[in-house]
Amino acid sequence: MFINKLNQLYKPRRILYYVDVSEAGIEAYRAGKLPEELQACSGAFGTYDVPGVYRVKSLGRDVLGVEYRENDARIKYPDGLEKVILDAAFFYSIEIDNEIEMDWKSVKEVFEHIAEDDDAHRVYTDLSIRRDPEVVAWFTDNTKIRIIHEWNLDNDHAGKVIRDDSDSFAKDYLYKKAFTDPITGHYNWNHLVSYLEMPMDYGITDYAFVHFDIKDFRVINEVYGHIAANRVLCNVVKAMNEADFVYASARCHDDNFAMMIKDMPEEETIARLSEMFDSISRLDVDPTYNIYYRCGVVMMPRSLLSANRAADAGKMAQALGQSHNKTDIIIYTDRMHNDLSWGNFIKAYLETAIENDEFAVYMQPKYNIQRNELAGAEALIRWNYKSRDFLSPKSFVPFFEKDGSIGRIDDIVLVHVCHALAKWKEKGLKLYPVSCNLSRDRLYDDNLIPHLCSIVDSYGVDHSLIDFELTESASYDNTEHLVSVLAELRALGFKTSMDDFGTGYSSLSLLTQMPLDTLKIDKSFVDHLGGESERRADVLVIKHIITLAGELGFECLAEGAERAEQVDRLRELGCDIVQGYYYSRPIPVDEFEKYIGG
């Protein structure tokens, strides 16, 4: 029997509305068929649970019913059903396979076995099994059965906390609550901080700092239940306590842990940690389930220099462990430290930079190499940092993408482009489409399209002159939503492009669905075209991309062409448009105006 221990819960005094049920009626319920008089009760306002089979001691028989809150004028209580008042009580809840035959004697044995595990302890209360329960009930959804069994409340400290009754607590109890974790009984982060602040009090002269979590811990919680997940946490604590290289450790929160460990060479540190993680890589209730960890390590001397801020560094390294089906151990570097400092600074400085008009837009021309004429431009952001240094996008865009402020940058580019197009229109110059980046995270903003239209329309710019460009190498969690956003943009007259084609993992599946005007071949394929460095594989890939784009109705643009032989080769392969240093570097907007006859 598969048993998923769910939780311990409290149900207040309530009304059970019920119908008598036969064995045939129970089997029908198990198959998903409710009696007609109970169907309207399922999910009704004021119910405490779904309909289920109840064994109520005071009734002396099994019934099929549903619980309602008492005395609420807003509730439509069932008509024509028997009812009984159930007193407030605590319950232990489990799940079992639906294929198993339900037998009340077996249910009783299961809960008695659970009681032997002594795991019905919560943060402020302790429960124990009620040997002669007033209520036991089970509920099914055709795939599993949930059973609740009445338990006794043994200790209640929650009331004292709610009443702020500090005098009722013993000193030892308060110390335990302040410095230990209630689930594992191990020390918490508050305790470990004392070691980081005053390591000499424990005789520690140097150390490395480790911060780690359990990958997909949420899955363990949801599939195997909280108690199985808590066992995993306890196993981690046991491993840390038994490791001879660990000075001090803590369960910080959720599935996050931290350790101060001996200073060892990097290879030895990784090896010892790997050995520890391997020893706790199996789930007790299901040994076929593999547990993986994500670990950040702050080596000496950075750990010593970071002191009580070592956790920030450890968590930063930890966050980089993104591989699947593998434990990641990432060593923190000074480069990460510099990136963090820089990222935090520019995040705080962004508003000032916008007020000071420090962001400038450059344009890189695009050329139609079949007709040898200008075809448009791509707008690129540059940061005139404090009016003294021009920063490339690589030095700030990734940080703004992480903190969600990249939309501000996208808007700055779009405003500059629309201002320029409006000015050129007024001068009577020939207008060409200009592509602007549309960051991935913005696609989930319900107000995105009205917002973009309001900017463009405020300058009187024709929608066909704006080409919104998405990065293919970025992952999209909701392809259906992505396609709908692009389709709506195109329906409004905007152009759409996919950047960096060939560098992502879902290119072909995306292409068959996405409404695009232009497909941009990534520079990495163009670099080796022409001359002695040309690779047959690159030529084949580009050739097939160009053919595919044409058959799907897309225009094809190659990025990063820097030499004449590259342009000639792309022309031979049938590419339409080229963008790269061969024709022009990104240039200021005013300088681009010369390209269009200004």
Side-chain angles (χ1 to χ4, degrees):
M1 179 189 296
F2 172 76
I3 301 176
N4 181 1
K5 300 176 183 178
L6 295 177
N7 57 341
Q8 300 92 44
L9 58 106
Y10 169 77
K11 285 193 175 186
R13 178 184 160 96
R14 59 216 183 277
I15 311 172
L16 176 67
Y17 287 89
Y18 66 90
V19 295
D20 287 321
V21 63
S22 63
E23 287 295 328
I26 290 177
E27 286 305 312
Y29 164 72
R30 190 163 181 167
K33 298 177 182 177
L34 275 174
E36 185 176 342
E37 55 265 53
L38 282 178
Q39 287 178 2
C41 302
S42 183
F45 174 72
T47 56
Y48 280 113
D49 213 326
V50 296
V53 178
Y54 285 77
R55 170 154 289 194
V56 182
K57 183 180 177 182
S58 61
L59 292 177
R61 64 189 186 278
D62 293 348
V63 296
L64 189 59
V66 63
E67 301 166 331
Y68 274 83
R69 182 168 62 244
E70 288 186 291
N71 303 321
D72 190 330
R74 299 167 299 175
I75 295 175
K76 184 178 180 181
Y77 293 102
D79 292 325
L81 296 181
E82 297 290 331
K83 63 182 179 180
V84 63
I85 300 296
L86 301 180
D87 289 332
F90 288 88
F91 292 87
Y92 198 115
S93 174
I94 67 170
E95 284 179 348
I96 63 173
D97 299 324
N98 195 21
E99 291 79 11
I100 297 170
E101 289 296 325
M102 275 298 301
D103 178 277
W104 290 113
K105 181 181 177 182
S106 299
V107 168
K108 180 180 178 182
E109 291 174 353
V110 166
F111 280 99
E112 287 178 346
H113 179 70
I114 289 172
E116 293 173 0
D117 289 342
D118 194 34
D119 55 15
H121 301 289
R122 305 188 296 180
V123 176
Y124 297 110
T125 54
D126 298 312
L127 304 178
S128 63
I129 188 169
R130 183 170 178 179
R131 302 293 176 178
D132 187 23
E134 172 65 22
V135 175
V136 180
W138 62 272
F139 314 85
T140 183
D141 65 358
N142 294 326
T143 60
K144 58 184 179 293
I145 293 174
R146 175 169 52 89
I147 311 172
I148 61 171
H149 187 292
E150 199 168 345
W151 281 44
N152 296 313
L153 174 64
D154 294 334
N155 294 305
D156 177 14
H157 294 293
K160 301 172 186 176
V161 175
I162 293 169
R163 296 190 299 270
D164 294 326
D165 187 6
S166 58
D167 293 336
S168 296
F169 292 104
K171 184 187 298 183
D172 289 346
Y173 178 86
L174 293 175
Y175 182 88
K176 185 177 180 181
K177 287 298 178 185
F179 298 111
T180 64
D181 164 47
I183 291 177
T184 65
H186 192 52
Y187 292 119
N188 62 21
W189 175 250
N190 292 335
H191 191 268
L192 188 60
V193 167
S194 64
Y195 285 80
L196 290 169
E197 290 185 359
M198 301 293 287
M200 73 291 295
D201 288 349
Y202 190 69
I204 300 174
T205 55
D206 43 47
Y207 58 88
F209 180 84
V210 177
H211 201 282
F212 67 93
D213 67 358
I214 303 166
K215 291 185 177 180
D216 295 325
F217 187 69
R218 176 182 56 82
V219 174
I220 300 174
N221 256 314
E222 293 179 356
V223 175
Y224 297 96
H226 295 305
I227 293 174
N230 289 347
R231 290 277 179 86
V232 174
L233 301 177
C234 292
N235 289 341
V236 171
V237 166
K238 184 174 183 289
M240 293 192 300
N241 286 336
E242 293 177 352
D244 60 6
F245 59 90
V246 177
Y247 287 132
S249 60
R251 181 194 176 209
C252 305
H253 60 87
D254 300 329
D255 59 320
N256 282 260
F257 297 84
M259 302 186 293
M260 291 175 69
I261 67 173
K262 293 179 181 178
D263 179 33
M264 299 174 284
E266 186 174 308
E267 290 184 3
E268 184 180 353
T269 298
I270 293 174
R272 299 296 299 275
L273 288 171
S274 297
E275 182 181 353
M276 186 188 83
F277 290 131
D278 286 344
S279 72
I280 46 176
S281 62
R282 293 291 185 272
L283 195 62
D284 288 349
V285 297
D286 183 3
T288 64
Y289 184 92
N290 294 315
I291 303 172
Y292 300 106
Y293 298 86
R294 188 173 55 161
C295 175
V297 183
V298 187
M299 303 289 291
M300 281 285 294
R302 173 56 62 187
S303 57
L304 193 68
L305 297 174
S306 299
N308 59 336
R309 298 297 301 275
D312 294 338
K315 285 188 282 189
M316 176 182 292
Q318 171 188 324
L320 298 177
Q322 299 294 332
S323 61
H324 298 288
N325 300 325
K326 175 187 173 185
T327 289
D328 289 310
I329 300 175
I330 311 295
I331 303 297
Y332 179 82
T333 65
D334 283 340
R335 171 64 182 275
M336 295 179 196
H337 173 74
N338 293 339
D339 284 348
L340 174 64
S341 299
W342 171 245
N344 288 338
F345 171 75
I346 63 174
K347 179 181 178 180
Y349 184 70
L350 176 60
E351 292 298 330
T352 301
I354 293 174
E355 290 177 9
N356 294 341
D357 197 24
E358 294 182 12
F359 290 100
V361 171
Y362 278 43
M363 292 192 179
Q364 186 170 32
K366 302 175 184 178
Y367 274 84
N368 185 312
I369 57 175
Q370 301 297 335
R371 298 196 296 266
N372 198 32
E373 62 184 22
L374 185 67
E378 178 180 4
L380 301 166
I381 192 75
R382 296 292 185 268
W383 188 352
N384 187 8
Y385 176 64
K386 296 189 176 181
S387 301
R388 65 172 185 247
D389 293 312
F390 267 90
L391 305 180
S392 71
K394 290 181 180 180
S395 64
F396 60 89
V397 167
F399 298 101
F400 292 141
E401 287 177 334
K402 286 181 181 178
D403 68 24
S405 56
I406 189 62
R408 304 290 303 281
I409 304 301
D410 288 351
D411 285 351
I412 289 170
V413 173
L414 183 59
V415 166
H416 277 73
V417 167
C418 290
H419 179 267
L421 288 169
K423 183 178 70 172
W424 297 335
K425 178 182 178 180
E426 187 177 346
K427 287 184 176 182
L429 302 179
K430 185 176 181 179
L431 302 181
Y432 296 88
V434 179
S435 58
C436 303
N437 285 325
L438 188 59
S439 300
R440 172 186 57 181
D441 290 344
R442 302 190 72 194
L443 297 178
Y444 300 100
D445 180 357
D446 293 337
N447 193 49
L448 173 65
I449 293 178
H451 175 72
L452 297 176
C453 287
S454 68
I455 293 175
V456 177
D457 294 344
S458 68
Y459 286 91
V461 172
D462 191 289
H463 288 191
S464 64
L465 293 172
I466 302 297
D467 183 351
F468 289 112
E469 192 170 290
L470 296 165
T471 301
E472 194 275 339
S473 57
S475 61
Y476 296 95
D477 299 327
N478 189 336
T479 302
E480 184 178 341
H481 179 72
L482 167 66
V483 170
S484 69
V485 170
L486 292 179
E488 189 171 352
L489 286 171
R490 292 190 81 207
L492 290 167
F494 295 106
K495 295 183 181 298
T496 58
S497 300
M498 178 188 281
D499 195 10
D500 299 338
F501 182 76
T503 60
Y505 297 98
S506 54
S507 308
L508 294 179
S509 63
L510 277 173
L511 278 185
T512 59
Q513 305 173 60
M514 291 177 67
L516 297 171
D517 294 287
T518 304
L519 197 65
K520 299 182 73 173
I521 301 173
D522 186 67
K523 180 181 184 298
S524 60
F525 293 104
V526 177
D527 285 342
H528 299 286
L529 282 184
E532 297 179 358
S533 65
E534 182 171 281
R535 301 185 302 198
R536 181 173 179 271
D538 289 320
V539 174
L540 287 173
V541 169
I542 292 175
K543 180 179 178 181
H544 286 296
I545 291 175
I546 293 171
T547 300
L548 180 63
E551 291 178 351
L552 291 173
F554 305 150
E555 190 174 63
C556 203
L557 182 152
E559 297 181 287
E562 298 178 352
R563 305 189 308 275
E565 56 265 32
Q566 290 175 325
V567 175
D568 292 340
R569 199 74 169 97
L570 288 165
R571 186 182 294 111
E572 291 173 11
L573 294 171
C575 184
D576 305 309
I577 312 294
V578 161
Q579 175 183 342
Y581 284 9
Y582 174 74
Y583 285 104
S584 174
R585 292 175 175 269
I587 55 178
V589 172
D590 291 343
E591 190 173 332
F592 179 77
E593 189 174 318
K594 299 175 183 177
Y595 276 80
I596 57 176

